[in-house]
């Protein structure tokens, strides 16, 4: 049976092939971010120290040339989570999780955003699904901050076999002040109203950059937790799209502008992963400065998982270098 995704009119294909993974006790943590620009990470040369904790981590690679023309969640997330290309006009796609399920992966989704119709059925192909604070919208002043996600999962828990854990953040979505805490309130003054016209450009960017500081703390905590495990572990972070910050008088997202096409993306891997996958680590470093579309995610995770029985272009993987 094929499933229809109402809003995006995307048809999910069944995966009825015999699929296996030759990886061993692999734990993929995929963090799906929100509205984060690559050029506002100090890891990528931004003039403010917005990622001070991540910069002190070993085994971290930031990819500063990721590209997508898809500028809002309802269209970007279905593309990221399937084999649908950013330029694909077809209305059929395969869920990443459907392929991994067939390969005996345990698949878990924990999100701090209510599911939208365009990608709800894709998320529902996970074995386990949990939505944090599902009764508050992204625009609510009372919306839980992303660290609450980590209070609902133990990333160090022992397991046998392979698994992927997806953490879906609220990230840097407006209203920015709702996305960071007191510890991340470094750049001031910050905005004082949800009405953009009442705030200065300086205050808006200060508040936005504070959300990046909060992201730094969030990802750093995940990494510190994962370091406690001896597993074959890798973290992949990718923002779904980008935020325009005053370029040509434009703000936020869901509109065409060059400033909205370069989402943040990075990878961290454990020492155990490095020992077991030296060629993959080498290729990660060789690819880090390349211009890469968000199509990479689906194919990279299959390549990382050493999937057999499902055809895909390995040359689109960040773990592959020609």
């Amino acid at each position: 049976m094929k499933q229809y995704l109402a809003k995006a009119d995307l048809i999910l294909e069944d995966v009825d092939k015999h699929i296996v993974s030759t990886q061993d006790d692999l734990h993929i943590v995929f963090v799906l971010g929100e509205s984060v620009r690559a050029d506002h990470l100090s890891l990528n040369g931004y003039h403010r120290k917005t990622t001070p904790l991540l910069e002190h981590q070993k085994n971290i690679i930031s990819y500063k040339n990721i590209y997508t023309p898809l500028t809002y969640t309802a269209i970007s997330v279905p593309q990221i989570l399937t084999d649908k290309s950013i330029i694909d006009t077809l209305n059929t796609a395969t869920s990443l999780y459907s392929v991994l399920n067939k390969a005996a992966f345990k698949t878990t989704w924990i999100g701090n955003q209510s599911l939208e119709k365009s990608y709800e059925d894709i998320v529902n192909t996970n074995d386990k699904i949990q939505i944090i604070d599902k009764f508050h919208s992204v625009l609510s002043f009372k919306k839980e901050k992303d660290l609450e996600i980590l209070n609902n999962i133990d990333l160090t828990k022992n397991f046998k076999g392979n698994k992927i854990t997806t953490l879906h953040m609220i990230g840097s979505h407006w209203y920015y002040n709702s996305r960071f805490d007191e510890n991340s309130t470094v750049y001031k003054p910050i905005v004082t109203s949800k009405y953009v016209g009442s705030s200065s450009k300086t205050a808006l960017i200060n508040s936005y950059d504070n959300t990046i500081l909060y992201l730094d703390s969030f990802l750093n905590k995940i990494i510190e937790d994962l370091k406690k495990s001896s597993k074959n572990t890798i973290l992949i972070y990718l923002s779904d799209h980008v935020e325009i910050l005053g370029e040509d008088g434009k703000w936020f997202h869901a509109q065409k502008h060059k400033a909205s096409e370069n989402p943040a993306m990075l990878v961290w891997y454990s020492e155990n992963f490095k020992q077991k996958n030296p060629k993959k680590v080498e290729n990660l470093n060789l690819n880090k400065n390349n211009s890469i579309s968000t199509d990479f995610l689906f194919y990279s995770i299959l390549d990382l998982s050493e999937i057999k029985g499902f055809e895909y272009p390995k040359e689109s993987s960040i773990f592959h270098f020609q």
Side-chain angles (χ1 to χ4, degrees):
M1 180 185 295
K2 294 181 178 179
Q3 298 173 309
Y4 286 78
L5 301 184
K7 187 170 182 179
D9 198 27
L10 188 66
I11 303 170
L12 283 185
E13 296 281 10
D14 284 339
V15 178
D16 54 7
K17 302 175 181 179
H18 177 66
I19 299 171
V20 296
S21 167
T22 57
Q23 275 283 13
D24 179 31
D25 284 345
L26 174 66
H27 186 191
I28 304 169
V29 178
F30 172 46
V31 181
L32 180 57
E34 168 73 50
S35 304
V36 175
R37 297 171 59 131
D39 64 355
H40 273 245
L41 274 61
S42 51
L43 272 171
N44 296 335
Y46 186 50
H47 68 279
R48 284 176 160 174
K49 277 287 185 182
T50 52
T51 51
L53 299 175
L54 293 177
E55 287 167 42
H56 285 89
Q57 288 287 356
K58 290 176 57 180
N59 302 344
I60 196 162
I61 307 170
S62 185
Y63 291 71
K64 58 184 179 182
N65 297 313
I66 302 296
Y67 168 78
T68 182
L70 308 179
T71 61
Y72 58 99
T73 299
I75 60 171
S76 64
V77 169
Q79 179 266 321
I80 288 169
L81 299 180
T82 67
D83 59 353
K84 184 175 176 63
S85 170
I86 58 171
I87 59 171
D88 194 353
T89 58
L90 299 176
N91 67 338
T92 58
T94 302
S95 165
L96 171 66
Y97 306 109
S98 293
V99 178
L100 295 177
N101 285 337
K102 280 289 184 178
F105 269 70
K106 297 176 182 177
T107 54
T108 299
W109 177 284
I110 300 182
N112 195 21
Q113 292 197 45
S114 298
L115 300 180
E116 296 192 26
K117 288 184 179 180
S118 67
Y119 62 87
E120 182 175 13
D121 284 354
I122 302 171
V123 173
N124 286 338
T125 58
N126 280 266
D127 295 326
K128 295 181 180 179
I129 302 157
Q130 182 178 356
I131 305 301
I132 304 299
D133 193 24
K134 59 185 176 181
F135 298 113
H136 286 116
S137 79
V138 296
L139 298 177
S140 173
F141 283 107
K142 297 180 179 180
K143 180 70 177 171
E144 287 283 1
K145 293 178 175 54
D146 283 323
L147 280 168
E148 184 60 24
I149 296 173
L150 305 185
N151 292 332
N152 285 267
I153 189 168
D154 182 1
L155 293 172
T156 65
K157 188 175 181 180
N158 288 330
F159 65 94
K160 291 183 179 180
N162 300 320
K163 71 175 181 177
I164 181 170
T165 305
T166 302
L167 309 179
H168 188 198
M169 302 179 67
I170 198 71
S172 297
H173 195 289
W174 182 258
Y175 176 60
Y176 303 143
N177 290 5
S178 294
R179 312 304 173 216
F180 57 87
D181 56 20
E182 185 177 344
N183 292 332
S184 300
T185 309
V186 172
Y187 303 113
K188 300 176 182 179
I190 60 176
V191 298
T192 57
S193 169
K194 283 190 176 182
Y195 174 58
V196 177
S198 68
S199 299
S200 68
K201 181 175 181 177
T202 296
L204 284 159
I205 292 178
N206 285 344
S207 285
Y208 182 82
D209 284 349
N210 287 335
T211 71
I212 308 300
L213 281 166
Y214 187 88
L215 170 66
D216 182 58
S217 296
F218 180 83
L219 293 178
N220 189 70
K221 186 176 189 312
I222 294 174
I223 291 169
E224 289 300 320
D225 286 346
L226 293 175
K227 283 161 69 174
K228 298 172 186 175
S229 170
S230 60
K231 293 291 183 180
N232 181 20
T233 306
I234 189 166
L235 177 148
I236 300 173
Y237 169 85
L238 172 66
S239 180
D240 60 351
H241 56 77
V242 184
E243 196 85 334
I244 305 173
L245 296 173
E247 288 87 355
D248 296 321
K250 295 183 178 182
W251 292 91
F252 308 142
H253 50 267
Q255 49 190 322
K256 292 291 183 182
H257 195 283
K258 184 174 178 60
S260 68
E261 297 176 347
N262 180 206
M265 182 264 182
L266 58 84
V267 173
W268 172 87
Y269 49 87
S270 68
E271 286 296 319
N272 186 279
F273 181 92
K274 183 178 180 180
Q275 292 169 10
K276 287 189 173 183
N277 305 277
K279 188 63 177 178
K280 287 183 172 62
V281 170
E282 179 185 349
N283 290 342
L284 282 174
N285 280 284
L286 289 171
N287 285 317
K288 69 179 181 180
N289 293 318
N290 293 348
S291 179
I292 302 170
S293 83
T294 51
D295 290 353
F296 85 87
L297 193 281
F298 182 93
Y299 305 117
S300 296
I301 289 184
L302 297 194
D303 189 21
L304 164 64
S305 305
E306 298 178 359
I307 292 297
K308 311 295 181 186
F310 185 91
E311 295 299 320
Y312 62 93
K314 278 196 173 183
E315 64 271 14
S316 297
S317 167
I318 58 174
F319 298 96
H320 178 83
F321 188 81
Q322 292 180 314

